[in-house]
Amino acid sequence: MLGGVPFHIETQIVASNAAGLTSSLPSDFLFNVGQSATKIHLLLSATDTRSAGEYIGQILLNYDSGNQSAVALYVGGNIRDWVATSNGTINTTTAPYVEEVYRGDPAPGHGWFLGTAVYDMMTLDVDPTRVLSSVRLSDTNGYLGFFIVGITIEHNPFAVVNGTVFQESWRGVVAGQVVQFEAVDDGGQVLATSSATLAADESFSATFTYEGACRVRAKASHWLSDLSPDVTLNSSGPTTIYFQLPNGDATGDNSVDLDDLNRVFIEFLSTDPSDTDLNGSGKVDLPDLNIVFLNFARTGE
């Protein structure tokens, strides 16, 4: 525990002194996450820092959407020398998100050094609405390195919802069908979203970054949405829900009306895969029209 934060210490690195610190990780380091998060705490220090303001590397937050968030590392800004009393090196930082959390004996392997060592904790905010795939730290300076001693990631609490989704009037392949989910309150406001891919037996498993009372709505491409009864989502165990989705929403607006009928008429006899092939037969024909007539004037929940 340093700075009030319990740290994950990399086991492949030789353990340090009684304070529980380690020697440095490699200067190019990838830490896989695979979950939504709120904050990242890093134990950082650098070596041979002699030029204030020098750019020595970066931290990349990689999201599953393909987006990235980068934090540049500058000597004297958000990173400093691990040797607190060394002459000629930069021993201070100015960034408000960096704080000193350890000052004392150096880690093993640095027995040649008789002074005081320091480690700083850098705290970075993470976009909690996305899945954080990984954290990458790269040293961009050939002679001036920085060290990662520990990393802790604060995760959102997440709840698991599983069950089945029955898609009415469907003759096609079930496995691989994507279903969108929303956790909503009594007023219909969306509290969290998720998605899942159906298995061949119509089963699914979806995760939500929300805990508490709600109802869960399921919606697939040309099916109307279905809304579950009141449930309570929590991270202590999965919640099981069974959905049944009425077919016929060819336009995807969550209602079956003249627009859907017109869409099917326009693509009638087409053999190109589309949302108008409502029964998954591989073509748009009379059974698809019958599905629209069967559920005409219905809206999703």
Side-chain angles (χ1 to χ4, degrees):
M1 182 77 72
L2 291 171
V5 176
F7 273 94
H8 171 87
I9 303 296
E10 287 299 301
T11 55
Q12 72 266 29
I13 305 303
V14 177
S16 75
N17 53 17
L21 298 177
T22 68
S23 57
S24 66
L25 292 174
S27 291
D28 188 81
F29 172 62
L30 180 69
F31 186 85
N32 293 312
V33 183
Q35 188 177 331
S36 60
T38 55
K39 292 182 183 295
I40 293 177
H41 305 281
L42 297 159
L43 290 182
L44 289 174
S45 62
T47 182
D48 199 25
T49 57
R50 299 187 181 278
S51 299
E54 184 173 7
Y55 170 67
I56 64 170
Q58 65 178 349
I59 300 170
L60 282 176
L61 308 183
N62 300 307
Y63 296 95
D64 67 344
S65 60
N67 292 341
Q68 290 182 326
S69 177
V71 177
L73 297 173
Y74 289 96
V75 173
N78 53 13
I79 196 167
R80 60 173 167 166
D81 207 281
W82 70 278
V83 179
T85 55
S86 178
N87 293 330
T89 57
I90 308 302
N91 308 120
T92 59
T93 59
T94 59
Y97 51 89
V98 175
E99 64 173 309
E100 180 181 310
V101 293
Y102 176 79
R103 179 178 290 259
D105 294 334
H110 299 127
W112 52 269
F113 174 65
L114 301 178
T116 300
V118 294
Y119 290 113
D120 292 328
M121 179 174 70
M122 177 184 293
T123 299
L124 302 176
D125 290 326
V126 180
D127 184 348
T129 66
R130 299 175 180 173
V131 173
L132 181 66
S133 299
S134 62
V135 180
R136 188 175 198 95
L137 300 102
S138 298
D139 182 355
T140 58
N141 193 311
Y143 71 92
L144 177 59
F146 66 88
F147 305 107
I148 313 304
V149 178
I151 181 169
T152 289
I153 296 178
E154 293 187 25
H155 295 284
N156 278 325
F158 68 93
V160 175
V161 173
N162 55 27
T164 59
V165 176
F166 174 62
Q167 297 171 308
E168 292 182 358
S169 307
W170 181 248
R171 294 168 47 193
V173 177
V174 173
Q177 292 283 332
V178 177
V179 180
Q180 305 295 328
F181 298 94
E182 294 176 336
V184 298
D185 62 18
D186 290 338
Q189 181 174 344
V190 177
L191 304 170
T193 62
S194 185
S195 65
T197 301
L198 296 184
D201 62 356
E202 302 176 339
S203 64
F204 73 92
S205 182
T207 58
F208 290 85
T209 56
Y210 169 78
E211 291 186 291
C214 66
R215 301 177 74 183
V216 178
R217 177 182 290 119
K219 176 77 170 75
S221 59
H222 52 78
W223 286 272
L224 300 176
S225 64
D226 187 21
L227 188 63
S228 77
D230 292 334
V231 294
T232 299
L233 305 184
N234 61 78
S235 56
S236 62
T239 300
T240 301
I241 305 175
Y242 302 99
F243 296 96
Q244 183 166 332
L245 309 184
N247 206 339
D249 181 19
T251 59
D253 62 357
N254 210 25
S255 64
V256 181
D257 51 22
L258 284 175
D259 291 335
D260 302 294
L261 194 60
N262 290 335
R263 176 86 180 271
V264 173
F265 272 126
I266 289 172
E267 299 190 21
F268 198 71
L269 299 182
S270 171
T271 56
D272 293 329
S274 73
D275 285 341
T276 53
D277 178 18
L278 300 177
N279 66 351
S281 66
K283 61 181 177 180
V284 182
D285 52 12
L286 283 175
D288 301 302
L289 280 175
N290 289 337
I291 291 172
V292 175
F293 285 124
L294 178 66
N295 292 314
F296 197 77
R298 291 187 66 175
T299 58
E301 295 189 59

